[in-house]
Amino acid sequence: QKEVEQNSGPLSVPEGAIASLNCTYSDRGSQSFFWYRQYSGKSPELIMFIYSNGDKEDGRFTAQLNKASQYVSLLIRDSQPSDSATYLCAVTTAGSYQLTFGKGTKLSVIP
Amino acid sequence: NAGVTQTPKFQVLKTGQSMTLQCAQDMNHNSMYWYRQDPGMGLRLIYYSASEGTTDKGEVPNGYNVSRLNKREFSLRLESAAPSQTSVYFCASRLPSSYNEQFFGPGTRLTVL
């Protein structure tokens, strides 16, 4: 059974701070890793994906992957109130059509 | 380019009634998916269609059927709705790359009384 674990939160950070969201996964064969943002009452929106060990940066967002520790994280720099949402981690294995999702971490950015 | 569209947005059914949720994408994607999202349970895959003409079960297929009508459209049918099927249903389609990026429709909020 493939599992993806996330702290449900809520994670509260002040505006302008760095928010750090974490995700661990059980399947060592996992190949690609995704971060989705979901505002309340809305659908998940893909914000980043990563497949190589190390960091990947896109604007204020940085995804970090450590396959040896089976750990992926998302850093949000200069957090804004508009970043308040639930962040979903998802993983997939090579050749698979399926994503396995974590239950999400709720982030609250306090003005 | 509307992306992934779903109808209806909201639906209330009585136990035992049937209905079909519709999904369409205009991005020429090959693969399409149906998920349900429940509080505390996260997103769970019901069925998916890797390509036109094929469908496969996901994690929670019981009580559902699907039809891949053509490349654009993938429908989800509840033959005899049960209160346990009260949920938010999302359709998604997959970018034709090796990394499995999926893009979601706006969702259908279904209540079964």
Side-chain angles (χ1 to χ4, degrees):
Chain A
Q1 179 78 9
K2 300 175 184 178
E3 293 184 348
V4 177
E5 300 287 341
Q6 296 182 254
N7 188 322
S8 62
L11 173 66
S12 294
V13 299
E15 183 174 355
I18 296 175
S20 177
L21 303 160
N22 304 317
C23 173
T24 59
Y25 58 94
S26 63
D27 186 350
R28 284 199 170 274
S30 297
Q31 178 194 41
S32 303
F33 307 85
F34 304 84
W35 284 101
Y36 285 83
R37 178 176 62 199
Q38 187 174 25
Y39 293 114
S40 181
K42 301 295 185 182
S43 59
E45 173 193 8
L46 180 64
I47 53 173
M48 287 197 74
F49 75 92
I50 187 169
Y51 53 89
S52 297
N53 274 329
D55 295 359
K56 180 180 179 183
E57 188 174 317
D58 184 0
R60 296 187 296 112
F61 298 96
T62 299
Q64 299 177 315
L65 175 60
N66 184 325
K67 287 187 177 180
S69 299
Q70 295 177 245
Y71 177 94
V72 58
S73 63
L74 179 70
L75 301 179
I76 306 175
R77 290 183 300 282
D78 188 24
S79 296
Q80 301 297 309
S82 59
D83 295 325
S84 298
T86 296
Y87 289 79
L88 306 173
C89 174
V91 305
T92 190
T93 53
S96 173
Y97 284 89
Q98 300 186 44
L99 291 178
T100 301
F101 283 85
K103 294 179 181 180
T105 298
K106 186 171 183 178
L107 172 67
S108 180
V109 180
I110 312 300
Chain B
N1 190 335
V4 181
T5 58
Q6 292 183 237
T7 56
K9 286 187 169 55
F10 301 94
Q11 184 71 47
V12 179
L13 292 178
K14 294 181 179 178
T15 297
Q17 287 185 317
S18 63
M19 79 160 295
T20 300
L21 281 65
Q22 306 285 355
C23 173
Q25 53 91 11
D26 61 2
M27 297 177 285
N28 203 34
H29 290 175
N30 289 326
S31 303
M32 298 182 72
Y33 302 79
W34 277 105
Y35 292 90
R36 60 178 290 175
Q37 188 174 38
D38 304 290
M41 298 297 293
L43 276 164
R44 293 182 291 169
L45 182 64
I46 304 171
Y47 271 94
Y48 69 100
S49 170
S51 61
E52 187 178 355
T54 68
T55 60
D56 285 284
K57 295 178 181 180
E59 181 185 354
V60 289
N62 291 345
Y64 306 95
N65 286 301
V66 290
S67 295
R68 183 74 183 267
L69 304 170
N70 48 55
K71 191 171 186 179
R72 289 188 62 248
E73 298 172 288
F74 188 38
S75 63
L76 179 72
R77 183 160 179 84
L78 287 70
E79 290 292 349
S80 179
S84 61
Q85 294 178 304
T86 293
S87 188
V88 181
Y89 291 86
F90 290 105
C91 177
S93 67
R94 171 186 166 171
L95 200 65
S97 76
S98 61
Y99 301 116
N100 205 357
E101 301 100 302
Q102 295 183 18
F103 299 89
F104 285 79
T108 295
R109 189 173 295 274
L110 175 67
T111 301
V112 183
L113 301 175

